[in-house]
Amino acid sequence: MALREVRMQGDPILTKTCREVKVLTPRLQTLIDDMFETMYEENGVGLAGPQVGVLRRIVVIDVGEGPVTLINPKIVLEDGSQTGSEGCLSLPGKVATVTRPNHVIVSALDRNMEEFSIEGTELLARALCHEIDHLDGHMYTEIAEGPLMDVTFDDEEELMENQDAFDETLGEI
């Protein structure tokens, strides 16, 4: 496994639509391993192929519930909404307020090229939507509600704690 260079906003590859994966070659298996390693090293919760310079419909996610690989993912259902801070490994040190569905169901292929569905709410729903947007050449900055804000890693931890408290409060209502 190896760390991959994360492409930064402004890199033209981040605006391109990715191609579907027809056959999962050993090279693409290595890419997936490298994407996980890169995502963890960068303290991210998701990473998409174009963010490491590969225009293939591959996403890796881990929101603390274990690693998930999605090949050719498609959102098949979305409902509800959530508004919160969102950042991206391709735009480090910045966050913005973004509204996303609060619940999604995504169909995809796993590392064995077998079809499966994943259901996500809250952070997982946000991560799924965010990463699938990357596969279609879009970044969260396109749907940001207001200006980008500077943030440090400590600020990100505080934002997540505040978001968790907010989510708990919503659950009590």
Side-chain angles (χ1 to χ4, degrees), residues 10-170:
D11 188 320
I13 201 164
L14 295 174
T15 64
K16 298 188 183 307
T17 301
C18 294
R19 293 176 294 147
E20 283 197 356
V21 175
K22 304 263 190 236
V23 176
L24 194 61
T25 63
R27 190 172 176 191
L28 290 177
Q29 289 280 7
T30 300
L31 170 68
I32 292 168
D33 293 337
D34 292 352
M35 287 173 66
F36 274 114
E37 186 173 352
T38 302
M39 179 187 72
Y40 291 133
E41 178 69 23
E42 298 292 329
N43 296 311
V45 298
L47 192 64
Q51 290 182 275
V52 293
V54 179
L55 288 172
R56 301 308 288 270
R57 297 189 77 78
I58 298 174
V59 165
V60 298
I61 291 177
D62 189 344
V63 296
E65 301 170 7
V68 179
T69 301
L70 299 112
I71 300 167
N72 303 333
K74 293 182 178 112
I75 297 172
V76 295
L77 181 135
E78 58 182 60
D79 61 87
S81 69
Q82 60 172 309
T83 301
S85 295
E86 194 163 311
C88 182
L89 295 178
S90 292
L91 191 58
K94 301 285 186 186
V95 297
T97 301
V98 175
T99 298
R100 299 264 189 199
N102 193 52
H103 172 251
V104 297
I105 297 176
V106 173
S107 68
L109 300 173
D110 65 14
R111 288 185 77 148
N112 298 315
M113 296 298 282
E114 294 179 11
E115 193 169 335
F116 77 105
S117 291
I118 183 169
E119 185 170 6
T121 58
E122 299 169 355
L123 180 58
L124 181 54
R126 179 177 296 279
L128 288 164
C129 293
H130 179 109
E131 299 309 330
I132 291 170
D133 276 355
H134 275 300
L135 300 179
D136 294 319
H138 300 289
M139 286 188 62
Y140 79 101
T141 53
E142 297 172 35
I143 57 172
E145 300 165 14
L148 294 174
M149 298 169 280
D150 293 326
V151 66
T152 64
F153 187 70
D154 290 339
D155 293 338
E156 288 177 16
E157 287 180 350
E158 185 177 329
L159 280 170
M160 291 305 295
E161 289 170 9
N162 290 339
Q163 186 71 41
D164 290 343
F166 177 74
D167 292 341
E168 288 175 19
T169 304
L170 279 179

